[in-house]
């Protein structure tokens, strides 16, 4: 009987290994835009969700007027506390290759954010900032509650190790 | 029969490990996510295979006991009575089964999380940390199963596979501590703790000189396999579904194999040479070596903070302390998995 069960298991494995998963990548659906003047370049910043909420991910698109041809740039984020990231190159959005962007990306904290852009192109170098980007409170239950629920497996593991440790105390000393 | 059960558990945990490395790199290099990606299928299938194998063995052992046979602790560890004796579960298979079941359960919390927060592919969301913990628990079961059969060749081979898998996987959960502002690199400290602990567990459990060194060599081999497979699978899968690589990505070393300390062999040498003088000293020295080198490795490969002299100093000291703790716990856990032998003798 046991061998039959393992045959079933092997068959299941083979089915899984040869299955071709359904591929369906969501298109980027911009529901809100903001305009930023980056030196001589006009830039449209698009959001796939609006308003923004802390920890909730969305697609950002950065579309310079006239397309990406001959342009390159960097951007950095400034959080509500005033600390900011290092400038990173603007990269094309993986699901919308005609514009720059960030795919399923979340701003982690509530408050006022800034996105600062630098673009180089045929009209030279330009810099500009999208200021006052309001990020509302995070959705869902309090983060502490989520962490407590998701720490249960780890706490279970610790409890198991403590029990095993205590039960084996005398035996290990004998050994 | 027993090597077959253990083999399926190892296969499942191996598939989970490969799938995780592939999935992480997919998000870094390519991006788009749905539930139905091939790397996700690997991760979930891995837990399913390990969990079903554990269940089958538990049912088989229970049936054997009802026929009047006495369970052999070498078959998966000390037998545990579950549900008032309704089932008899060898400890290793019980742990593997519970880890796999919890993984599938927390898969539901992850699904809920993504509906509330979106498909942001991060390592440190609460459900992701829970999922990584549950796979680690499944892998701990695999180590217990392997250690129980250490007097047989297949058991020692299973140790050389299951221990490096756990060494690679468990430190991923330390991403939960990313938000804490500690003066040392928490990922390095957690990796040192786990690597030293498991090297000492293996050396003590198998009880033969060279066991820790062989495990570190197997870890290096596993790192090599993931180093080659992960970028290949990521770009091959992107090609097959017609997706491009992200701008400027695809040439960098992969994240999961980059998170395996290259100096684990040196740490194993320290443990092999110094264990007789005292496991704690051996662990502290191994931790010191790992702490210092792993900060540099992470910075060099571009996955850790810049290795400033201060960070190097604090994390090396933390490495020695966590190595000491790892050896303290590892020498006891190593002796614990030998207890079954003493009890039955």
């Amino acid at each position: 009987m046991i061998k039959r069960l393992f045959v079933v298991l092997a068959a299941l494995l083979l089915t899984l290994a040869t299955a071709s998963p359904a591929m369906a990548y969501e298109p980027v659906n911009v529901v809100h835009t903001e305009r930023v003047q980056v030196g001589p370049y006009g830039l449209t910043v698009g959001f796939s969700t609006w308003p923004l909420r802390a920890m909730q991910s969305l697609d950002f698109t950065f579309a310079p007027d006239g397309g990406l041809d001959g342009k390159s740039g960097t951007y950095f984020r400034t959080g509500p506390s005033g600390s900011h990231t290092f400038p990173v190159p603007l990269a094309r959005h993986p699901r919308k290759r005609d514009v720059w962007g960030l795919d399923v990306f979340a701003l982690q904290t509530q408050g006022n954010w800034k996105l600062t852009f630098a673009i180089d192109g045929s009209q030279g170098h330009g810099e500009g900032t999208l200021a006052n980007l309001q990020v509302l409170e995070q959705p869902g239950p309090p983060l502490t509650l989520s962490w407590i629920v998701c720490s249960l497996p780890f706490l279970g593991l610790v409890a198991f190790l403590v029990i095993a440790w205590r039960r084996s105390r005398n035996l290990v000393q004998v050994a | 029969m027993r090597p077959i059960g253990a083999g399926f558990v190892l296969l499942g945990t191996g598939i989970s490990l490969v799938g995780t490395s592939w999935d992480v790199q997919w998000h870094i290099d390519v991006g788009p996510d749905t539930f139905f990606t091939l790397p996700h299928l690997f991760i979930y299938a891995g837990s399913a295979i390990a969990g079903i194998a554990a269940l089958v063995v538990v049912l088989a052992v229970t049936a054997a006991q009802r026929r009047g046979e006495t369970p052999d602790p070498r078959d998966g560890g000390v037998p545990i009575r579950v549900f008032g004796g309704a089932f008899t579960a060898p400890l290793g298979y019980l742990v593997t089964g519970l880890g796999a079941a919890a993984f599938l359960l927390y898969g539901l919390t992850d699904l809920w999380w993504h509906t509330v927060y979106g498909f942001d592919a991060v390592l440190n969301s609460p459900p992701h940390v829970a999922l990584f913990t549950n796979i680690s628990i499944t892998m701990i079961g695999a180590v217990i199963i392997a250690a129980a059969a250490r007097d047989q060749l297949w058991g020692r081979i299973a140790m050389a596979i299951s221990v490096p898998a756990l060494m690679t996987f468990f430190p991923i959960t330390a991403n939960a501590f990313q938000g804490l502002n500690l003066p040392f690199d928490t990922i390095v400290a957690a990796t040192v703790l786990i690597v030293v602990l498991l090297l000492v567990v293996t050396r003590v459990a198998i009880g033969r000189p060279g066991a820790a060194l062989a495990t570190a060599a197997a870890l290096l081999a596993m790192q090599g396999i993931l180093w080659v497979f992960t970028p290949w699978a990521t770009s091959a899968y992107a090609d097959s579904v017609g997706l491009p690589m992200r701008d400027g990505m695809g040439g960098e070393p992969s994240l999961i194999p980059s998170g395996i300390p290259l100096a684990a062999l040196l740490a194993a040498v320290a443990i092999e040479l110094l264990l007789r003088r005292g496991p704690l000293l051996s662990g502290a020295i191994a931790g010191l070596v790992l702490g210092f080198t792993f900060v540099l490795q992470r910075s060099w490969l571009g996955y850790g903070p810049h290795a400033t002299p201060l960070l190097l100093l604090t994390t090396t000291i933390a490495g020695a302390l966590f190595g000491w703790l790892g050896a303290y716990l590892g020498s006891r856990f190593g002796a614990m998995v030998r207890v079954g032998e003493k009890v039955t003798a």
Side-chain angles (χ1 to χ4, degrees), chain A residues 40-75:
Chain A
Y41 310 101
L43 182 77
T44 304
V45 180
F47 305 87
S48 67
T49 304
W50 193 263
L52 303 185
R53 291 177 195 281
M55 298 169 59
Q56 194 173 49
S57 58
L58 63 145
D59 289 303
F60 291 75
T61 58
F62 309 132
D65 296 346
L68 300 184
D69 276 351
K71 297 189 187 78
S72 65
T74 60
Y75 93 102

Side-chain angles (χ1 to χ4, degrees), chain B residues 203 269-285 324 327:
Chain B
R203 177 64 184 78
V269 169
I271 287 166
E272 292 284 356
L273 293 177
L274 299 172
L275 195 71
R276 281 178 188 275
R277 296 194 180 188
L280 303 186
L281 172 73
S282 76
I285 301 284
W324 180 88

Side-chain angles (χ1 to χ4, degrees), chain B:
Chain B
M1 192 282 278
R2 299 306 180 224
I4 301 176
F8 271 98
V9 169
L10 282 184
L11 178 70
T13 53
I15 289 173
S16 290
L17 177 64
V18 167
T20 303
S21 183
W22 186 3
D23 189 47
V24 167
Q25 213 53 42
W26 171 263
H27 292 305
I28 293 171
D29 287 346
V30 186
D33 202 11
T34 73
F35 181 74
F36 297 99
T37 66
L38 208 49
H40 283 180
L41 192 67
F42 265 57
I43 296 172
Y44 276 83
S47 277
I49 290 165
I52 293 169
L55 180 65
V56 169
V57 172
V58 168
L59 292 178
V61 170
T62 302
Q65 201 198 21
R66 287 186 184 175
R67 285 197 303 269
E69 295 172 23
T70 306
D72 182 351
R74 288 175 302 176
D75 289 341
V78 181
I80 308 283
R81 287 155 52 87
V82 184
F83 296 135
F87 295 97
T88 304
L91 181 63
Y93 289 103
L94 180 64
V95 172
T96 287
L98 288 175
F103 177 85
L104 298 177
L105 190 68
Y106 273 90
L108 295 176
T109 66
D110 191 42
L111 193 64
W112 166 81
W113 182 272
H114 286 310
T115 58
V116 175
Y117 295 100
F119 262 93
D120 192 359
V122 291
L123 289 173
N124 62 346
S125 75
H128 284 179
V129 169
L131 289 173
F132 292 135
T133 308
N134 290 327
I135 293 181
S136 303
I137 292 171
T138 307
M139 290 176 167
I140 289 169
V143 172
I144 296 172
I145 294 165
R150 67 194 172 276
D151 57 345
Q152 296 168 61
L153 179 63
W154 74 261
R156 293 193 294 278
I157 293 171
M159 281 287 272
I161 298 169
S162 59
V163 171
L166 183 58
M167 281 176 177
T168 305
F169 208 91
F170 210 172
I172 304 174
T173 55
N175 281 286
F177 303 116
Q178 261 179 359
L180 296 182
N181 241 336
L182 294 174
F184 56 87
D185 186 331
T186 48
I187 301 275
V188 171
T191 308
V192 169
L193 173 68
I194 290 158
V195 169
V196 172
L197 190 157
L198 287 170
L199 285 174
V200 173
V201 162
T202 309
R203 177 64 184 78
V204 172
I206 292 182
R208 295 182 183 194
L213 205 56
T215 304
L219 179 69
L220 200 62
M222 192 172 285
Q223 183 176 33
I225 292 167
L226 289 176
W227 201 282
V228 174
F229 173 82
T230 307
W232 170 81
T234 304
S235 70
Y237 185 44
D239 283 348
S240 76
V241 295
L243 283 171
M245 303 293 264
R246 284 182 198 277
D247 289 348
M249 300 305 283
E252 79 289 353
S254 302
L255 189 145
I256 297 293
S258 298
I260 299 173
L262 284 158
L265 266 177
L266 281 179
V269 169
I271 287 166
E272 292 284 356
L273 293 177
L274 299 172
L275 195 71
R276 281 178 188 275
R277 296 194 180 188
L280 303 186
L281 172 73
S282 76
I285 301 284
L288 197 77
V289 171
L290 281 177
F292 180 77
T293 53
F294 198 36
V295 175
L296 294 175
Q297 178 184 327
R298 273 166 52 79
S299 178
W300 171 49
L301 294 176
Y303 284 114
H306 177 63
T308 60
L310 182 65
L311 183 73
L312 204 53
L313 180 70
T314 54
T315 310
T316 304
I317 294 168
L321 292 173
F322 277 86
W324 180 88
L325 178 65
Y328 174 68
L329 297 171
S331 51
R332 179 65 176 266
F333 291 149
M336 276 158 60
V337 294
R338 295 183 69 94
V339 164
E341 171 187 276
K342 299 286 175 190
V343 172
T344 51

Side-chain angles (χ1 to χ4, degrees), chain A residues 11-101:
Chain A
L12 187 72
L13 178 65
L14 196 68
T15 316
L16 283 173
T18 53
S20 92
M23 304 300 302
Y25 296 111
E26 293 272 324
V28 178
N29 184 22
V30 173
V31 299
H32 179 85
T33 59
E34 298 276 343
R35 287 287 293 175
V36 191
Q37 197 60 40
V38 186
Y41 310 101
L43 182 77
T44 304
V45 180
F47 305 87
S48 67
T49 304
W50 193 263
L52 303 185
R53 291 177 195 281
M55 298 169 59
Q56 194 173 49
S57 58
L58 63 145
D59 289 303
F60 291 75
T61 58
F62 309 132
D65 296 346
L68 300 184
D69 276 351
K71 297 189 187 78
S72 65
T74 60
Y75 93 102
F76 65 87
R77 305 183 295 276
T78 308
S81 67
S83 65
H84 62 83
T85 59
F86 289 109
V88 290
L90 286 163
R92 284 175 294 172
H93 193 291
R95 282 172 289 128
K96 195 168 166 58
R97 304 281 288 174
D98 55 338
V99 296
W100 293 314

